[in-house]
Amino acid sequence: MNLIFLGPPGAGKGTVAAELKKTSGLDHLSTGDMLREEMKNETELGKIAKEYIESGKLVPDDLIIDMVKNRLENADAGIMFDGFPRTVAQAEALDKIAHIDAVINLTTTIDVIIERIGGRRICRNCGKVYNVSWYHKDTCEDCGGELYTRADDTEETIRTRYDEYLKKTAPLIDYYRVKGIVHDIDANGDIQTKVDAISDIIKG
Ligand code: AP5
């Protein structure tokens, strides 16, 4: 099974995908994480992506589509796509290389987004995502790695990312709704309730 997580920045796409990975047998493909890895390794792609990411703009479609195609060459399990596709062009490219069974549309508001992303902290070593609203240490509880704040998690950049989402990504809800595969999930509830609801969708 392949599924897509749609939703604005901070809706919880990465958090629920990481939880579901533990039990579903599905792989987690996050284009945001892949781009941050490219930036960390200072690759050509990473250098180009940095400018877009830090200003809150989407990285050009052709670069993203090539990156995802390369990643899928080694895929041997169903995939949870997190942060991809982000545009109609990306969705059309994905249609040519994978069958999508379900789209999880996480819905929330800009106020919740700003509060959540403002409090997000990430482990520099293993990538686990925390929030200062419920985790008060400076190091990761799993591996002891240092926690950091993403460079694109400023309020100004969050607003740009949200505008990009409304203009370029929200149209995908209708793109997939006409295919009859969209499941709307209220992202304002607690994490476990969403994970349980999506698990039920995966089990069919
Ligand atoms: P990306 O990394 O994909 O960022 P995003 O879509 O903006 O999403 P986030 O990672 O900010 O949020 P999330 O929904 O995963 O929330 P999370 O689970 O962390 O992309 C970054 C950039 O890369 C883009 O701006 C773009 O430039 C580029 N890019 C990436 N993919 C691209 C593509 N396909 N095309 C072009 N460009 C691309 O949760 C957020 C916080 O809230 C955490 O602290 C978490 O603990 C907390 N939280 C989550 N759920 C709950 C809950 N239910 N209750 C309370 N707190 C919660």
Side-chain angles (χ1 to χ4, degrees), residues 7-16 30-33 35-36 49 52-53 56-61 64 82-87 90 116-117 119-121 129-131 133-134 150 152-153 161 187-191 194:
K13 304 179 295 292
T15 300
V16 288
S30 158
T31 43
D33 287 349
L35 291 168
R36 282 184 286 279
Y52 290 94
I53 291 177
K57 297 285 188 184
L58 292 186
V59 175
D61 285 333
I64 297 289
D82 160 10
F84 178 88
R86 281 286 233 281
T87 63
Q90 292 180 19
R116 278 189 191 168
I117 297 188
R120 173 164 55 192
R121 301 290 180 270
V129 176
Y130 294 92
N131 198 285
S133 63
W134 51 267
R150 270 170 48 179
D152 61 341
D153 278 356
R161 284 157 59 196
N188 295 328
D190 68 283
I191 294 164
K194 286 182 290 184

Side-chain angles (χ1 to χ4, degrees), residues 116-167:
R116 278 189 191 168
I117 297 188
R120 173 164 55 192
R121 301 290 180 270
I122 302 170
C123 175
R124 208 179 278 289
N125 184 43
C126 72
K128 184 165 178 177
V129 176
Y130 294 92
N131 198 285
V132 295
S133 63
W134 51 267
Y135 191 75
H136 307 295
K137 297 183 187 161
D138 296 332
T139 53
C140 176
E141 64 181 355
D142 286 357
C143 72
E146 176 202 10
L147 303 190
Y148 78 101
T149 301
R150 270 170 48 179
D152 61 341
D153 278 356
T154 63
E155 181 166 338
E156 190 190 349
T157 312
I158 295 166
R159 288 189 185 277
T160 306
R161 284 157 59 196
Y162 186 64
D163 286 346
E164 288 279 90
Y165 164 79
L166 291 179
K167 264 190 277 177

